[in-house]
Amino acid sequence: MEQELKLHEAEYRFACIIWEHEPLSSGELAQLCRQQLNWQRTTTYTVLKKLCTKGFFKNENAVVTALIKKEQVQQYESRKVLENLFDNSLPAFLTAFMAGKKISEDEAEALKALIDRCQENDDERGA
């Protein structure tokens, strides 16, 4: 069973501060949260404690580090969007996302390369 990596919007913004600056002292974190989120020190420590309890971060000797990477949360949330809104259909998601938008030649090439890499990985697993 996949680990629950759900973060609410404010928790995600908070987590991004940690991911960007880790390792950092809890005091530095409180100062950054005051500047970037307009949070009081008590709010910062409450959210930090909650996310440490959930296993996202560690606060040891007043030094905060991540136990879960940003990419893991992004992958989890992306899968949930596909699952809940698009019946696990990547083409349906891309159709909705791209409706009326243009992409550059570089973006198109990057997407083609990504698809090719994913197909190669599937071929290797199936072999």
Side-chain angles (χ1 to χ4, degrees):
M1 185 171 169
E2 186 177 37
Q3 182 182 358
E4 173 77 28
L5 298 179
K6 173 81 176 142
L7 290 175
H8 298 285
E9 184 180 342
E11 292 171 336
Y12 183 78
R13 291 183 313 179
F14 172 80
C16 284
I17 293 171
I18 296 172
W19 288 320
E20 184 178 336
H21 297 280
E22 73 168 315
L24 74 162
S25 73
S26 53
E28 290 174 281
L29 178 59
Q31 189 174 34
L32 287 167
C33 288
R34 182 167 186 75
Q35 293 167 356
Q36 296 181 31
L37 304 174
N38 201 27
W39 284 6
Q40 297 298 317
R41 181 176 295 272
T42 53
T43 303
T44 297
Y45 291 146
T46 299
V47 175
L48 177 60
K49 183 177 180 180
K50 176 183 175 185
L51 294 182
C52 285
T53 300
K54 289 173 82 175
F56 282 86
F57 302 107
K58 177 173 68 171
N59 184 8
E60 194 169 83
N61 298 321
V63 176
V64 180
T65 55
L67 299 173
I68 302 290
K69 295 178 180 172
K70 182 179 185 178
E71 292 78 15
Q72 290 173 274
V73 173
Q74 291 172 330
Q75 288 170 359
Y76 175 84
E77 290 289 351
S78 298
R79 284 188 198 109
K80 287 299 178 186
V81 167
L82 276 179
E83 217 174 90
N84 297 334
L85 300 178
F86 298 96
D87 296 322
N88 280 324
S89 171
L90 185 56
F93 167 78
L94 289 173
T95 299
F97 182 76
M98 296 301 299
K101 293 183 180 171
K102 303 266 189 229
I103 61 173
S104 70
E105 187 66 33
D106 288 344
E107 289 172 320
E109 288 302 320
L111 288 172
K112 288 175 191 172
L114 175 63
I115 291 168
D116 289 344
R117 279 195 310 276
C118 290
Q119 285 177 323
E120 289 170 8
N121 289 341
D122 279 348
D123 292 343
E124 290 171 6
R125 280 182 262 176

